[in-house]
């Protein structure tokens, strides 16, 4: 087997692992929201009360999977060997915003209209209020949570955090490169790893223990940073660097849980460990890339679109069931399952025709933005 073939195989295996994790987390998040937003869940809950309670209380922890995986993939694209390989950090952040924004604008427009239809037939605290032009602009800038504005869609908060985390990482890596400007590549890598580890530690040991900070990247950087460190631990060409990474992950994890045990951090550590072990195991790689897991891998690939579009689909099904079968538990339970299936089907189209477009994202964002505002004003 040639070196190129080995590298290609390793890349495919890693992609399979990431997609499986994202697929599982995506399914859990959608189920969590199905168990959180009524009235369908209120009617169906007596059928499986324990399951509904579990999904409601613990389903949100699946966000940790996305955070760790996002950090893992950020390391792969920004600094695969620990040394920043990009130029123009602000331009890179702008591209990230553009990539996130286009499908987000489409899904948020759908959420505004779905909420408007839902409000006509029922009252529920889970239905967002009518959007103003100011609300729309703030959401377009992904500042709604920082400014204390009620979200127009269930997934809006994560996009803002994802952008903040990416931007913070770009700045950290750029700073490390600047600090090591006249040093060797090895020293530059040490600066990158060191600064990320410090930011990760600050988040795990301090910021993540203050819930009022959960609208900022510093609250979540512990999990994201674990993903960065895990990637470098797996892929570093320097054995000493790999050992240092493993030691950093272990020390950070033990220290964080010793200071204050948090289920979300324990799960983030578990995901980092899974990435570490499975990426280096040929048996795990074979299982993860098997045909049987193909649907789950595909769900992982379209998970961003699912995350965006499932909320307006949920609003519409809640409105329909509130009108047609407001007191039938089995009908509402079936509608919840149908909501999940339809969310995936609609997300597949959003992924194919919007998220995965091969053209410049920024160009389409500039076209979509005024259309989005006009749609909101028409509401």
């Amino acid at each position: 087997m040639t070196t190129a073939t080995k590298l290609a195989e390793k890349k495919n295996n890693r992609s399979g692992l990431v997609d499986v994790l994202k697929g599982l987390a995506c399914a859990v998040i959608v189920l969590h929201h199905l168990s959180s937003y009524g009235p369908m869940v209120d009617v169906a809950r007596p059928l499986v009360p324990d399951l509904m309670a579990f999904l409601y209380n613990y389903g949100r922890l699946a966000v940790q999977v996305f955070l760790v995986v996002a950090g893992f993939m950020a390391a792969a694209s920004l600094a695969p060997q620990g040394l920043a390989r990009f130029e123009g950090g602000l331009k890179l952040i702008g591209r990230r915003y553009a990539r996130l924004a286009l499908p987000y604008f489409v899904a948020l427009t759908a959420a505004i209209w779905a909420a408007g239809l839902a409000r006509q037939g029922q009252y529920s605290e889970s239905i967002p209020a009518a959007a103003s032009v100011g609300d729309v602009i703030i959401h377009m800038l992904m500042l709604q949570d920082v400014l204390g504005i009620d979200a127009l869609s269930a997934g809006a908060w994560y996009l803002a955090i994802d952008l903040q985390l990416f931007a913070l990482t770009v700045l950290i890596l750029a700073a490390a490169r600047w600090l090591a400007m006249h040093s060797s590549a090895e020293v530059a890598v040490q600066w990158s790893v060191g600064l990320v580890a410090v930011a990760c530690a600050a988040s795990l040991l301090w910021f993540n223990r203050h819930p009022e900070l959960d609208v900022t990247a510093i609250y979540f950087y512990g999990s994201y940073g674990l993903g960065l460190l895990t990637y470098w631990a797996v892929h570093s060409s320097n054995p000493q660097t790999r050992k240092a990474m493993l030691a950093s992950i272990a020390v950070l994890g033990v220290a964080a849980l010793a200071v204050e045990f948090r289920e979300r951090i324990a799960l983030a550590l578990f995901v980092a460990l899974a990435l570490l072990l499975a990426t280096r195991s040929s048996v795990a790689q074979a299982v993860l890339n098997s045909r049987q897991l193909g649907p789950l891998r595909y769900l992982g690939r379209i998970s961003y679109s699912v995350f965006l579009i499932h909320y307006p689909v949920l609003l519409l099904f809640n409105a329909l069931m509130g009108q047609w079968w407001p007191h039938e538990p089995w009908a509402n339970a079936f509608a919840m399952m149908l909501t999940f299936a339809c969310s995936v089907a609609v997300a597949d189209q959003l992924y194919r025709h919007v998220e995965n477009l091969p053209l410049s994202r920024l160009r389409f964002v500039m076209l979509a933005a005024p259309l989005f505002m006009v749609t909101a004003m028409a509401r």
Side-chain angles (χ1 to χ4, degrees), residues 270-347:
F270 175 81
V271 174
L273 181 63
L275 284 167
L276 183 66
L277 296 178
T279 305
R280 300 181 65 87
S281 169
S282 58
V283 175
Q285 291 170 0
V287 172
L288 290 165
N289 287 279
S290 64
R291 180 178 299 179
Q292 290 76 10
L293 291 182
L296 186 58
R297 288 197 303 274
Y298 187 69
L299 181 61
R301 285 196 291 276
I302 68 170
S303 59
Y304 178 57
S305 289
V306 176
F307 189 71
L308 290 174
I309 205 65
H310 79 275
Y311 183 68
V313 175
L314 173 59
L315 286 176
L316 291 176
F317 268 92
N318 267 313
L320 291 175
M321 297 307 294
Q323 289 291 318
W324 295 346
W325 291 288
H327 306 297
E328 299 293 333
W330 284 106
N332 281 267
F334 178 76
M336 291 173 70
M337 292 186 287
L338 192 59
T339 300
F340 187 104
C342 288
S343 295
V344 174
V346 176

Side-chain angles (χ1 to χ4, degrees), residues 27-215:
V28 172
I29 288 294
V30 175
L31 291 173
H32 167 66
H33 287 160
L34 282 170
S35 70
S36 302
Y37 301 117
M40 281 194 301
V41 64
D42 296 328
V43 179
R45 183 178 289 112
L47 297 175
V48 281
D50 292 338
L51 176 60
M52 293 295 183
F54 177 82
L55 290 171
Y56 179 81
N57 292 321
Y58 297 104
R60 70 190 68 185
L61 293 177
V63 169
Q64 297 298 319
V65 177
F66 284 111
L67 291 169
V68 176
V69 169
F72 189 85
M73 298 308 294
S77 63
L78 297 175
Q81 291 299 320
L83 180 64
R85 67 177 185 182
F86 56 84
E87 298 293 339
L90 291 179
K91 185 177 182 180
L92 193 63
I93 294 170
R95 289 177 178 173
R96 178 68 173 181
Y97 170 80
R99 191 189 72 80
L100 292 172
L102 178 58
Y104 170 56
F105 288 168
V106 173
L108 200 52
T109 301
I112 291 173
W113 282 97
L117 293 173
R119 282 193 300 272
Q120 295 177 12
Q122 62 179 303
Y123 169 78
S124 173
E125 294 182 355
S126 63
I127 302 176
S132 68
V133 175
D135 293 336
V136 170
I137 294 173
I138 290 171
H139 275 73
M140 289 173 63
L141 297 174
M142 301 184 187
L143 295 174
Q144 67 281 347
D145 294 311
V146 174
L147 299 177
I149 304 299
D150 290 337
L152 299 175
S153 180
W157 74 271
Y158 182 80
L159 273 68
I161 295 299
D162 181 278
L163 184 63
Q164 290 181 40
L165 289 167
F166 184 84
L168 180 56
T169 301
V170 168
L171 294 177
I172 289 174
L173 294 174
R177 183 171 57 191
W178 180 80
L179 289 169
M181 187 181 303
H182 302 296
S183 303
S184 65
E186 184 177 349
V187 172
V189 170
Q190 292 173 356
W191 271 107
S192 296
V193 172
L195 289 181
V196 167
V198 168
C200 185
S203 177
L204 291 173
L205 301 177
W206 178 256
F207 297 120
N208 188 259
R209 297 167 58 205
H210 296 271
E212 66 273 14
L213 297 176
D214 67 356
V215 298

